[in-house]
Amino acid sequence: MDKEDKELDEALGLWDEVKVDHSRLSSRVWARVANEEREPTTLPTFFRLVQSLLVRPVYAAVFVVSCVLGGLLLAELRVVKMESDRHEQLAESYKQVIDPLLKNTYLGD
């Protein structure tokens, strides 16, 4: 065991002697400690960094808000593109109504 593990074990050992009013708090804490020991810690460094950031409520909220805003931006860009395509189709059909012999030419040319 390294130094940090020994210090953690000592701290957890001292915590056994503390009297807690909440009956299930002790069992919850020990269950989380046992769960941490069972989970593999083989995540790549990048994913560990992302996980460590997203467990903080502020960063998680910023991530969710940025995802929502990004989705709204992409939806707006899609609507603008669809409207642009529709305007081009209307201009083309207008040219065909005025002079059916004009094909694939622009009004300003």
Short mmCIF file of all heavy atoms in Angstrom, two decimals, residues 21-81:
data_model
loop_
_atom_site.label_atom_id
_atom_site.label_comp_id
_atom_site.label_asym_id
_atom_site.label_seq_id
_atom_site.Cartn_x
_atom_site.Cartn_y
_atom_site.Cartn_z
N ASP A 21 -26.00 10.38 14.06
CA ASP A 21 -27.42 10.33 14.37
C ASP A 21 -28.21 9.59 13.29
O ASP A 21 -29.20 8.95 13.57
CB ASP A 21 -27.99 11.75 14.53
CG ASP A 21 -27.43 12.44 15.76
OD1 ASP A 21 -27.00 11.72 16.69
OD2 ASP A 21 -27.43 13.67 15.80
N HIS A 22 -27.78 9.70 12.07
CA HIS A 22 -28.49 9.08 10.96
C HIS A 22 -28.15 7.59 10.90
O HIS A 22 -26.98 7.21 10.82
CB HIS A 22 -28.12 9.77 9.64
CG HIS A 22 -29.06 9.47 8.53
ND1 HIS A 22 -28.97 8.34 7.78
CD2 HIS A 22 -30.13 10.16 8.08
CE1 HIS A 22 -29.93 8.34 6.88
NE2 HIS A 22 -30.65 9.43 7.03
N SER A 23 -29.17 6.76 10.91
CA SER A 23 -28.92 5.32 11.04
C SER A 23 -28.31 4.71 9.78
O SER A 23 -27.52 3.78 9.87
CB SER A 23 -30.23 4.61 11.37
OG SER A 23 -31.17 4.84 10.33
N ARG A 24 -28.67 5.20 8.60
CA ARG A 24 -28.19 4.58 7.38
C ARG A 24 -26.96 5.25 6.80
O ARG A 24 -26.42 4.78 5.80
CB ARG A 24 -29.30 4.60 6.32
CG ARG A 24 -30.43 3.68 6.70
CD ARG A 24 -31.54 3.61 5.69
NE ARG A 24 -31.30 4.25 4.44
CZ ARG A 24 -32.23 4.73 3.65
NH1 ARG A 24 -33.49 4.63 4.00
NH2 ARG A 24 -31.94 5.30 2.50
N LEU A 25 -26.49 6.33 7.39
CA LEU A 25 -25.34 7.05 6.85
C LEU A 25 -24.09 6.19 6.85
O LEU A 25 -23.38 6.12 5.85
CB LEU A 25 -25.09 8.34 7.62
CG LEU A 25 -23.91 9.18 7.14
CD1 LEU A 25 -24.17 9.66 5.72
CD2 LEU A 25 -23.65 10.34 8.05
N SER A 26 -23.84 5.51 7.92
CA SER A 26 -22.64 4.68 8.02
C SER A 26 -22.66 3.58 6.96
O SER A 26 -21.65 3.35 6.28
CB SER A 26 -22.56 4.06 9.41
OG SER A 26 -21.45 3.21 9.48
N SER A 27 -23.80 2.92 6.79
CA SER A 27 -23.86 1.84 5.80
C SER A 27 -23.71 2.40 4.38
O SER A 27 -23.11 1.76 3.52
CB SER A 27 -25.17 1.07 5.94
OG SER A 27 -26.27 1.93 5.69
N ARG A 28 -24.24 3.59 4.14
CA ARG A 28 -24.10 4.19 2.81
C ARG A 28 -22.64 4.53 2.51
O ARG A 28 -22.15 4.30 1.41
CB ARG A 28 -24.93 5.47 2.70
CG ARG A 28 -26.39 5.24 2.52
CD ARG A 28 -27.09 6.55 2.36
NE ARG A 28 -28.50 6.37 2.10
CZ ARG A 28 -29.34 7.36 2.01
NH1 ARG A 28 -28.93 8.61 2.15
NH2 ARG A 28 -30.61 7.14 1.77
N VAL A 29 -21.95 5.08 3.50
CA VAL A 29 -20.54 5.45 3.30
C VAL A 29 -19.72 4.21 3.01
O VAL A 29 -18.92 4.18 2.06
CB VAL A 29 -20.00 6.20 4.53
CG1 VAL A 29 -18.49 6.35 4.45
CG2 VAL A 29 -20.66 7.57 4.63
N TRP A 30 -19.90 3.16 3.81
CA TRP A 30 -19.12 1.95 3.60
C TRP A 30 -19.48 1.27 2.28
O TRP A 30 -18.63 0.65 1.64
CB TRP A 30 -19.25 1.01 4.78
CG TRP A 30 -18.49 1.52 5.98
CD1 TRP A 30 -19.02 2.01 7.12
CD2 TRP A 30 -17.08 1.64 6.09
NE1 TRP A 30 -18.01 2.42 7.96
CE2 TRP A 30 -16.81 2.20 7.34
CE3 TRP A 30 -16.00 1.33 5.26
CZ2 TRP A 30 -15.53 2.46 7.80
CZ3 TRP A 30 -14.72 1.58 5.71
CH2 TRP A 30 -14.48 2.14 6.95
N ALA A 31 -20.74 1.37 1.87
CA ALA A 31 -21.14 0.80 0.57
C ALA A 31 -20.45 1.53 -0.57
O ALA A 31 -20.01 0.91 -1.55
CB ALA A 31 -22.66 0.87 0.41
N ARG A 32 -20.33 2.85 -0.45
CA ARG A 32 -19.63 3.62 -1.50
C ARG A 32 -18.15 3.28 -1.52
O ARG A 32 -17.54 3.19 -2.60
CB ARG A 32 -19.83 5.12 -1.29
CG ARG A 32 -21.24 5.57 -1.61
CD ARG A 32 -21.37 7.03 -1.44
NE ARG A 32 -21.22 7.65 -2.75
CZ ARG A 32 -21.28 8.95 -2.96
NH1 ARG A 32 -21.47 9.77 -1.95
NH2 ARG A 32 -21.15 9.44 -4.16
N VAL A 33 -17.57 3.11 -0.37
CA VAL A 33 -16.15 2.74 -0.32
C VAL A 33 -15.95 1.38 -0.96
O VAL A 33 -15.02 1.17 -1.76
CB VAL A 33 -15.63 2.75 1.14
CG1 VAL A 33 -14.27 2.11 1.23
CG2 VAL A 33 -15.60 4.18 1.67
N ALA A 34 -16.82 0.43 -0.65
CA ALA A 34 -16.71 -0.91 -1.23
C ALA A 34 -16.93 -0.86 -2.75
O ALA A 34 -16.26 -1.56 -3.51
CB ALA A 34 -17.72 -1.84 -0.59
N ASN A 35 -17.85 -0.01 -3.19
CA ASN A 35 -18.12 0.12 -4.62
C ASN A 35 -16.91 0.71 -5.35
O ASN A 35 -16.59 0.29 -6.46
CB ASN A 35 -19.36 0.99 -4.84
CG ASN A 35 -19.81 0.97 -6.28
OD1 ASN A 35 -19.61 0.01 -6.99
ND2 ASN A 35 -20.43 2.06 -6.70
N GLU A 36 -16.26 1.67 -4.74
CA GLU A 36 -15.07 2.26 -5.35
C GLU A 36 -13.97 1.20 -5.52
O GLU A 36 -13.23 1.23 -6.49
CB GLU A 36 -14.54 3.42 -4.51
CG GLU A 36 -15.38 4.66 -4.57
CD GLU A 36 -15.31 5.34 -5.92
OE1 GLU A 36 -14.25 5.31 -6.57
OE2 GLU A 36 -16.33 5.90 -6.33
N GLU A 37 -13.87 0.30 -4.57
CA GLU A 37 -12.85 -0.74 -4.66
C GLU A 37 -13.17 -1.74 -5.77
O GLU A 37 -12.27 -2.31 -6.38
CB GLU A 37 -12.71 -1.45 -3.32
CG GLU A 37 -12.08 -0.58 -2.26
CD GLU A 37 -12.05 -1.26 -0.91
OE1 GLU A 37 -12.57 -2.38 -0.77
OE2 GLU A 37 -11.51 -0.64 0.03
N ARG A 38 -14.45 -1.98 -6.04
CA ARG A 38 -14.85 -2.94 -7.05
C ARG A 38 -14.74 -2.37 -8.46
O ARG A 38 -14.50 -3.10 -9.41
CB ARG A 38 -16.29 -3.39 -6.83
CG ARG A 38 -16.44 -4.42 -5.75
CD ARG A 38 -17.83 -5.00 -5.82
NE ARG A 38 -18.85 -3.98 -5.84
CZ ARG A 38 -19.73 -3.76 -4.90
NH1 ARG A 38 -19.75 -4.50 -3.83
NH2 ARG A 38 -20.62 -2.79 -5.00
N GLU A 39 -14.97 -1.07 -8.64
CA GLU A 39 -14.96 -0.47 -9.97
C GLU A 39 -13.55 -0.45 -10.55
O GLU A 39 -12.59 -0.13 -9.85
CB GLU A 39 -15.50 0.96 -9.91
CG GLU A 39 -16.99 1.03 -9.68
CD GLU A 39 -17.49 2.46 -9.71
OE1 GLU A 39 -16.67 3.38 -9.91
OE2 GLU A 39 -18.69 2.65 -9.51
N PRO A 40 -13.44 -0.79 -11.80
CA PRO A 40 -12.11 -0.73 -12.42
C PRO A 40 -11.67 0.72 -12.61
O PRO A 40 -12.47 1.58 -12.96
CB PRO A 40 -12.31 -1.42 -13.77
CG PRO A 40 -13.77 -1.29 -14.05
CD PRO A 40 -14.46 -1.27 -12.71
N THR A 41 -10.41 0.95 -12.36
CA THR A 41 -9.88 2.31 -12.52
C THR A 41 -9.02 2.38 -13.77
O THR A 41 -8.00 3.04 -13.79
CB THR A 41 -9.05 2.71 -11.28
OG1 THR A 41 -8.03 1.73 -11.11
CG2 THR A 41 -9.92 2.78 -10.04
N THR A 42 -9.43 1.68 -14.81
CA THR A 42 -8.63 1.62 -16.02
C THR A 42 -9.13 2.58 -17.09
O THR A 42 -8.87 2.37 -18.27
CB THR A 42 -8.64 0.19 -16.59
OG1 THR A 42 -9.99 -0.18 -16.86
CG2 THR A 42 -8.00 -0.78 -15.62
N LEU A 43 -9.88 3.59 -16.69
CA LEU A 43 -10.33 4.57 -17.68
C LEU A 43 -9.12 5.33 -18.23
O LEU A 43 -8.19 5.65 -17.49
CB LEU A 43 -11.29 5.57 -17.04
CG LEU A 43 -12.69 5.09 -16.73
CD1 LEU A 43 -13.44 6.18 -15.98
CD2 LEU A 43 -13.43 4.74 -17.99
N PRO A 44 -9.13 5.64 -19.52
CA PRO A 44 -8.05 6.47 -20.06
C PRO A 44 -8.04 7.84 -19.38
O PRO A 44 -9.04 8.28 -18.81
CB PRO A 44 -8.42 6.59 -21.54
CG PRO A 44 -9.32 5.44 -21.82
CD PRO A 44 -10.04 5.16 -20.53
N THR A 45 -6.93 8.49 -19.46
CA THR A 45 -6.74 9.76 -18.77
C THR A 45 -7.77 10.79 -19.19
O THR A 45 -8.32 11.50 -18.34
CB THR A 45 -5.33 10.29 -19.05
OG1 THR A 45 -4.38 9.28 -18.73
CG2 THR A 45 -5.04 11.52 -18.21
N PHE A 46 -8.08 10.88 -20.48
CA PHE A 46 -9.04 11.87 -20.96
C PHE A 46 -10.42 11.62 -20.34
O PHE A 46 -11.07 12.55 -19.88
CB PHE A 46 -9.13 11.82 -22.49
CG PHE A 46 -10.22 12.70 -23.04
CD1 PHE A 46 -10.06 14.07 -23.07
CD2 PHE A 46 -11.39 12.15 -23.52
CE1 PHE A 46 -11.06 14.88 -23.57
CE2 PHE A 46 -12.39 12.94 -24.02
CZ PHE A 46 -12.23 14.31 -24.05
N PHE A 47 -10.85 10.36 -20.30
CA PHE A 47 -12.17 10.06 -19.76
C PHE A 47 -12.22 10.29 -18.26
O PHE A 47 -13.24 10.69 -17.72
CB PHE A 47 -12.58 8.63 -20.11
CG PHE A 47 -12.84 8.45 -21.58
CD1 PHE A 47 -12.11 7.53 -22.31
CD2 PHE A 47 -13.79 9.21 -22.23
CE1 PHE A 47 -12.34 7.36 -23.65
CE2 PHE A 47 -14.03 9.05 -23.58
CZ PHE A 47 -13.30 8.13 -24.30
N ARG A 48 -11.11 10.02 -17.57
CA ARG A 48 -11.07 10.32 -16.14
C ARG A 48 -11.18 11.82 -15.90
O ARG A 48 -11.85 12.25 -14.97
CB ARG A 48 -9.78 9.79 -15.52
CG ARG A 48 -9.92 8.36 -15.06
CD ARG A 48 -8.74 7.92 -14.26
NE ARG A 48 -7.82 7.30 -15.22
CZ ARG A 48 -6.52 7.31 -15.14
NH1 ARG A 48 -5.93 7.91 -14.14
NH2 ARG A 48 -5.78 6.73 -16.05
N LEU A 49 -10.53 12.60 -16.76
CA LEU A 49 -10.63 14.06 -16.63
C LEU A 49 -12.06 14.52 -16.86
O LEU A 49 -12.59 15.33 -16.09
CB LEU A 49 -9.68 14.73 -17.64
CG LEU A 49 -9.78 16.25 -17.73
CD1 LEU A 49 -9.31 16.88 -16.43
CD2 LEU A 49 -8.97 16.77 -18.90
N VAL A 50 -12.70 14.01 -17.91
CA VAL A 50 -14.09 14.40 -18.20
C VAL A 50 -14.99 13.97 -17.05
O VAL A 50 -15.86 14.74 -16.61
CB VAL A 50 -14.55 13.77 -19.54
CG1 VAL A 50 -16.04 13.94 -19.74
CG2 VAL A 50 -13.80 14.40 -20.69
N GLN A 51 -14.81 12.76 -16.55
CA GLN A 51 -15.63 12.29 -15.45
C GLN A 51 -15.43 13.14 -14.20
O GLN A 51 -16.39 13.49 -13.53
CB GLN A 51 -15.29 10.83 -15.14
CG GLN A 51 -16.14 10.26 -14.02
CD GLN A 51 -15.73 8.85 -13.64
OE1 GLN A 51 -14.63 8.41 -13.99
NE2 GLN A 51 -16.59 8.15 -12.94
N SER A 52 -14.19 13.51 -13.92
CA SER A 52 -13.94 14.32 -12.73
C SER A 52 -14.54 15.71 -12.86
O SER A 52 -14.93 16.31 -11.87
CB SER A 52 -12.44 14.41 -12.46
OG SER A 52 -11.79 15.16 -13.47
N LEU A 53 -14.63 16.21 -14.09
CA LEU A 53 -15.27 17.52 -14.28
C LEU A 53 -16.78 17.44 -14.21
O LEU A 53 -17.43 18.30 -13.62
CB LEU A 53 -14.85 18.11 -15.63
CG LEU A 53 -13.43 18.64 -15.73
CD1 LEU A 53 -13.14 19.10 -17.15
CD2 LEU A 53 -13.20 19.77 -14.75
N LEU A 54 -17.36 16.41 -14.80
CA LEU A 54 -18.82 16.33 -14.88
C LEU A 54 -19.49 15.92 -13.58
O LEU A 54 -20.70 16.04 -13.45
CB LEU A 54 -19.24 15.40 -16.01
CG LEU A 54 -18.95 15.94 -17.42
CD1 LEU A 54 -19.42 14.95 -18.47
CD2 LEU A 54 -19.60 17.28 -17.64
N VAL A 55 -18.72 15.43 -12.61
CA VAL A 55 -19.35 15.12 -11.32
C VAL A 55 -19.59 16.38 -10.51
O VAL A 55 -20.38 16.35 -9.56
CB VAL A 55 -18.52 14.11 -10.50
CG1 VAL A 55 -18.45 12.78 -11.20
CG2 VAL A 55 -17.16 14.64 -10.17
N ARG A 56 -18.98 17.47 -10.90
CA ARG A 56 -19.22 18.75 -10.22
C ARG A 56 -20.47 19.38 -10.83
O ARG A 56 -20.58 19.52 -12.04
CB ARG A 56 -18.03 19.67 -10.39
CG ARG A 56 -16.78 19.11 -9.77
CD ARG A 56 -15.62 20.00 -9.99
NE ARG A 56 -14.41 19.42 -9.45
CZ ARG A 56 -13.22 19.91 -9.65
NH1 ARG A 56 -13.06 20.99 -10.38
NH2 ARG A 56 -12.16 19.32 -9.13
N PRO A 57 -21.41 19.79 -10.00
CA PRO A 57 -22.69 20.30 -10.52
C PRO A 57 -22.55 21.51 -11.44
O PRO A 57 -23.27 21.61 -12.44
CB PRO A 57 -23.48 20.67 -9.26
CG PRO A 57 -22.87 19.87 -8.17
CD PRO A 57 -21.42 19.69 -8.54
N VAL A 58 -21.63 22.40 -11.13
CA VAL A 58 -21.48 23.59 -11.96
C VAL A 58 -21.04 23.22 -13.37
O VAL A 58 -21.62 23.67 -14.37
CB VAL A 58 -20.46 24.56 -11.32
CG1 VAL A 58 -20.16 25.72 -12.26
CG2 VAL A 58 -20.96 25.08 -10.00
N TYR A 59 -20.05 22.36 -13.48
CA TYR A 59 -19.56 21.96 -14.80
C TYR A 59 -20.58 21.10 -15.54
O TYR A 59 -20.70 21.20 -16.76
CB TYR A 59 -18.23 21.23 -14.68
CG TYR A 59 -17.11 22.12 -14.17
CD1 TYR A 59 -16.41 21.80 -13.02
CD2 TYR A 59 -16.78 23.29 -14.84
CE1 TYR A 59 -15.39 22.61 -12.56
CE2 TYR A 59 -15.77 24.10 -14.38
CZ TYR A 59 -15.07 23.76 -13.24
OH TYR A 59 -14.08 24.56 -12.78
N ALA A 60 -21.30 20.28 -14.81
CA ALA A 60 -22.33 19.47 -15.45
C ALA A 60 -23.44 20.36 -16.01
O ALA A 60 -23.91 20.15 -17.13
CB ALA A 60 -22.91 18.46 -14.45
N ALA A 61 -23.82 21.39 -15.25
CA ALA A 61 -24.84 22.32 -15.73
C ALA A 61 -24.35 23.09 -16.95
O ALA A 61 -25.10 23.29 -17.92
CB ALA A 61 -25.24 23.29 -14.61
N VAL A 62 -23.10 23.52 -16.93
CA VAL A 62 -22.54 24.23 -18.08
C VAL A 62 -22.51 23.33 -19.31
O VAL A 62 -22.83 23.75 -20.42
CB VAL A 62 -21.11 24.75 -17.75
CG1 VAL A 62 -20.39 25.22 -19.00
CG2 VAL A 62 -21.19 25.87 -16.73
N PHE A 63 -22.18 22.06 -19.12
CA PHE A 63 -22.16 21.12 -20.23
C PHE A 63 -23.55 20.93 -20.82
O PHE A 63 -23.72 20.96 -22.03
CB PHE A 63 -21.60 19.77 -19.74
CG PHE A 63 -21.62 18.70 -20.78
CD1 PHE A 63 -20.72 18.73 -21.83
CD2 PHE A 63 -22.54 17.67 -20.72
CE1 PHE A 63 -20.73 17.74 -22.81
CE2 PHE A 63 -22.57 16.68 -21.69
CZ PHE A 63 -21.66 16.72 -22.74
N VAL A 64 -24.55 20.77 -19.96
CA VAL A 64 -25.92 20.58 -20.45
C VAL A 64 -26.41 21.83 -21.18
O VAL A 64 -26.99 21.73 -22.27
CB VAL A 64 -26.87 20.22 -19.27
CG1 VAL A 64 -28.32 20.29 -19.69
CG2 VAL A 64 -26.53 18.85 -18.73
N VAL A 65 -26.15 23.00 -20.62
CA VAL A 65 -26.59 24.24 -21.26
C VAL A 65 -25.89 24.43 -22.59
O VAL A 65 -26.51 24.82 -23.59
CB VAL A 65 -26.33 25.45 -20.32
CG1 VAL A 65 -26.49 26.77 -21.05
CG2 VAL A 65 -27.28 25.38 -19.13
N SER A 66 -24.60 24.12 -22.66
CA SER A 66 -23.88 24.28 -23.93
C SER A 66 -24.39 23.29 -24.97
O SER A 66 -24.49 23.63 -26.16
CB SER A 66 -22.38 24.14 -23.73
OG SER A 66 -22.07 22.85 -23.28
N CYS A 67 -24.75 22.08 -24.55
CA CYS A 67 -25.33 21.11 -25.49
C CYS A 67 -26.67 21.59 -26.02
O CYS A 67 -26.96 21.49 -27.22
CB CYS A 67 -25.48 19.74 -24.84
SG CYS A 67 -23.93 18.87 -24.62
N VAL A 68 -27.50 22.13 -25.14
CA VAL A 68 -28.81 22.65 -25.57
C VAL A 68 -28.64 23.82 -26.52
O VAL A 68 -29.28 23.88 -27.58
CB VAL A 68 -29.66 23.05 -24.34
CG1 VAL A 68 -30.88 23.84 -24.75
CG2 VAL A 68 -30.06 21.81 -23.56
N LEU A 69 -27.76 24.75 -26.18
CA LEU A 69 -27.54 25.91 -27.05
C LEU A 69 -26.93 25.49 -28.39
O LEU A 69 -27.29 26.03 -29.44
CB LEU A 69 -26.65 26.94 -26.36
CG LEU A 69 -27.29 27.66 -25.18
CD1 LEU A 69 -26.28 28.60 -24.53
CD2 LEU A 69 -28.53 28.42 -25.60
N GLY A 70 -26.03 24.53 -28.37
CA GLY A 70 -25.46 24.02 -29.62
C GLY A 70 -26.53 23.37 -30.49
O GLY A 70 -26.55 23.55 -31.71
N GLY A 71 -27.43 22.62 -29.88
CA GLY A 71 -28.52 22.00 -30.62
C GLY A 71 -29.45 23.04 -31.22
O GLY A 71 -29.89 22.91 -32.37
N LEU A 72 -29.75 24.08 -30.45
CA LEU A 72 -30.60 25.16 -30.98
C LEU A 72 -29.92 25.88 -32.14
O LEU A 72 -30.58 26.24 -33.13
CB LEU A 72 -30.95 26.15 -29.87
CG LEU A 72 -31.91 25.63 -28.81
CD1 LEU A 72 -32.05 26.66 -27.68
CD2 LEU A 72 -33.27 25.34 -29.42
N LEU A 73 -28.62 26.09 -32.03
CA LEU A 73 -27.88 26.75 -33.11
C LEU A 73 -27.92 25.90 -34.37
O LEU A 73 -28.17 26.42 -35.47
CB LEU A 73 -26.43 27.00 -32.69
CG LEU A 73 -25.51 27.57 -33.77
CD1 LEU A 73 -25.94 28.99 -34.12
CD2 LEU A 73 -24.08 27.52 -33.33
N LEU A 74 -27.68 24.60 -34.24
CA LEU A 74 -27.72 23.72 -35.41
C LEU A 74 -29.12 23.68 -36.02
O LEU A 74 -29.27 23.66 -37.25
CB LEU A 74 -27.26 22.33 -35.03
CG LEU A 74 -25.77 22.19 -34.73
CD1 LEU A 74 -25.46 20.79 -34.25
CD2 LEU A 74 -24.95 22.53 -35.95
N ALA A 75 -30.15 23.68 -35.19
CA ALA A 75 -31.52 23.69 -35.71
C ALA A 75 -31.80 24.98 -36.47
O ALA A 75 -32.42 24.96 -37.54
CB ALA A 75 -32.51 23.51 -34.56
N GLU A 76 -31.33 26.09 -35.94
CA GLU A 76 -31.54 27.38 -36.62
C GLU A 76 -30.79 27.42 -37.95
O GLU A 76 -31.32 27.91 -38.95
CB GLU A 76 -31.08 28.52 -35.72
CG GLU A 76 -31.33 29.90 -36.29
CD GLU A 76 -32.80 30.21 -36.48
OE1 GLU A 76 -33.64 29.66 -35.75
OE2 GLU A 76 -33.10 31.01 -37.39
N LEU A 77 -29.57 26.90 -37.98
CA LEU A 77 -28.82 26.86 -39.24
C LEU A 77 -29.52 25.99 -40.26
O LEU A 77 -29.54 26.31 -41.46
CB LEU A 77 -27.40 26.36 -38.99
CG LEU A 77 -26.49 27.30 -38.22
CD1 LEU A 77 -25.16 26.62 -37.92
CD2 LEU A 77 -26.27 28.59 -38.97
N ARG A 78 -30.12 24.91 -39.83
CA ARG A 78 -30.85 24.03 -40.73
C ARG A 78 -32.08 24.74 -41.31
O ARG A 78 -32.37 24.63 -42.50
CB ARG A 78 -31.28 22.77 -39.99
CG ARG A 78 -31.98 21.77 -40.86
CD ARG A 78 -32.20 20.47 -40.10
NE ARG A 78 -32.94 19.54 -40.91
CZ ARG A 78 -34.19 19.20 -40.69
NH1 ARG A 78 -34.84 19.70 -39.66
NH2 ARG A 78 -34.81 18.35 -41.48
N VAL A 79 -32.79 25.47 -40.46
CA VAL A 79 -33.98 26.22 -40.92
C VAL A 79 -33.57 27.28 -41.93
O VAL A 79 -34.22 27.46 -42.96
CB VAL A 79 -34.73 26.83 -39.72
CG1 VAL A 79 -35.77 27.85 -40.18
CG2 VAL A 79 -35.38 25.74 -38.89
N VAL A 80 -32.46 27.98 -41.66
CA VAL A 80 -31.99 29.01 -42.59
C VAL A 80 -31.63 28.39 -43.93
O VAL A 80 -31.96 28.94 -45.00
CB VAL A 80 -30.79 29.77 -41.98
CG1 VAL A 80 -30.09 30.62 -43.02
CG2 VAL A 80 -31.25 30.62 -40.82
N LYS A 81 -30.98 27.24 -43.91
CA LYS A 81 -30.62 26.55 -45.15
C LYS A 81 -31.86 26.13 -45.92
O LYS A 81 -31.94 26.29 -47.14
CB LYS A 81 -29.75 25.33 -44.82
CG LYS A 81 -29.45 24.44 -45.99
CD LYS A 81 -28.46 25.06 -46.93
CE LYS A 81 -28.04 24.03 -47.96
NZ LYS A 81 -28.11 24.52 -49.30
#
